[in-house]
Amino acid sequence: QVHLQEAGPGLVKPSETLSLTCTVSGTSISSHYWSWIRQPPGKGLEWIGYIYNSGSAKYNPSFKSRVTISLDTSRSQSSLKVKSVTTADTAVYYCARGGRWNPDWGQGTLVTVSS
Amino acid sequence: DIVMTQSPDSLTVSLGERATINCKSGQSVLYSSDNQNYLAWYQQKPGQPPKLLIYWASTRESGVPDRFSGGGSGTDFTLTISSLQAEDVAVYYCQQYYSPPYTFGQGTKLEIK
């Protein structure tokens, strides 16, 4: 059974960098695409991007190059970094298996951007 | 970006009755080379991550009850729950994966009458 667990600071100051990790178990991280999706409180879902083992990543242009997704196969982790955050980046951040559709999701982690 | 628009925003249905949710894409998500519709449906219950129900517009994910079905092609799609159960109360989202950035509909909240 595939299990994903997001981790990282729950509070980030404006203009700083949001950094999250997603630890994967139950499958080889090298065999799949891994996506990040976020959901502002009480709102809908927003696709951030995905990465594959080759290191090739695809991002949502709406983030204007603020986003980086990476893989650490030795730790079975995917990482998300969002630079220069504002209050609009406050959301639950999910990691998920798959690049097109997502059959497995982490529980999500709430990140609040506030001074 | 492909805009995904769901209707209605909310829906109230009696137990055992049929529920239908619509999803319209701003451009066709039917890929001519493989004749597949690049569309998925998710169910999200409060405090939980989304759960994949349907992909390729009509292929049910493993373990999803057969009362859930997806249909449509091109720009117009439906998710149908044939006989509503209490555990189906949730928000439902469609998503296109035809062209990045992959985009979701705004969600449809399904409640019991």
Side-chain angles (χ1 to χ4, degrees):
Chain A
Q1 184 177 357
V2 178
H3 183 74
L4 299 86
Q5 181 66 60
E6 302 90 349
L11 181 64
V12 180
K13 289 183 167 56
S15 80
E16 296 189 343
T17 296
L18 177 162
S19 295
L20 298 175
T21 60
C22 173
T23 302
V24 176
S25 60
T27 190
S28 170
I29 199 169
S30 303
S31 301
H32 303 281
Y33 285 74
W34 301 93
S35 297
W36 286 88
I37 294 149
R38 72 179 185 180
Q39 185 171 36
K43 296 189 178 179
L45 299 162
E46 181 177 28
W47 181 79
I48 300 171
Y50 66 62
I51 191 167
Y52 188 57
N53 182 42
S54 63
S56 59
K58 182 76 77 171
Y59 302 118
N60 189 330
S62 70
F63 287 86
K64 296 182 174 61
S65 302
R66 295 190 300 129
V67 168
T68 303
I69 298 173
S70 59
L71 278 183
D72 184 340
T73 55
S74 66
R75 295 186 176 188
S76 199
Q77 287 182 337
S78 174
S79 295
L80 171 71
K81 292 188 187 300
V82 183
K83 299 185 297 186
S84 306
V85 297
T86 70
T87 55
D89 294 308
T90 293
V92 174
Y93 285 78
Y94 296 102
C95 62
R97 181 173 70 88
R100 289 174 171 173
W101 63 86
N102 305 109
D104 298 298
W105 295 63
Q107 281 300 308
T109 187
L110 174 62
V111 179
T112 301
V113 178
S114 175
S115 55
Chain B
D1 298 7
I2 298 177
V3 176
M4 306 299 290
T5 304
Q6 292 180 225
S7 62
D9 289 332
S10 64
L11 183 61
T12 305
V13 176
S14 300
L15 287 172
E17 295 299 304
R18 178 184 300 261
T20 301
I21 298 170
N22 302 294
C23 175
K24 188 173 186 68
S25 57
Q27 66 183 73
S28 175
V29 297
L30 174 62
Y31 196 34
S32 57
S33 66
D34 61 9
N35 200 38
Q36 291 278 17
N37 288 285
Y38 283 48
L39 184 112
W41 287 96
Y42 295 86
Q43 174 195 66
Q44 187 178 32
K45 297 180 179 180
Q48 295 185 19
K51 174 187 175 183
L52 176 68
L53 298 175
I54 303 278
Y55 56 95
W56 296 133
S58 61
T59 301
R60 203 179 299 116
E61 170 70 344
S62 175
V64 172
D66 61 7
R67 65 179 181 274
F68 290 91
S69 63
S73 185
T75 61
D76 293 280
F77 301 91
T78 57
L79 174 70
T80 300
I81 307 172
S82 61
S83 176
L84 190 69
Q85 304 300 303
E87 61 265 32
D88 300 335
V89 170
V91 178
Y92 292 83
Y93 295 94
C94 60
Q95 178 213 6
Q96 66 82 18
Y97 48 91
Y98 180 90
S99 172
Y102 300 153
T103 47
F104 294 86
Q106 80 276 16
T108 294
K109 187 174 185 179
L110 177 58
E111 297 175 305
I112 304 288
K113 187 181 292 182

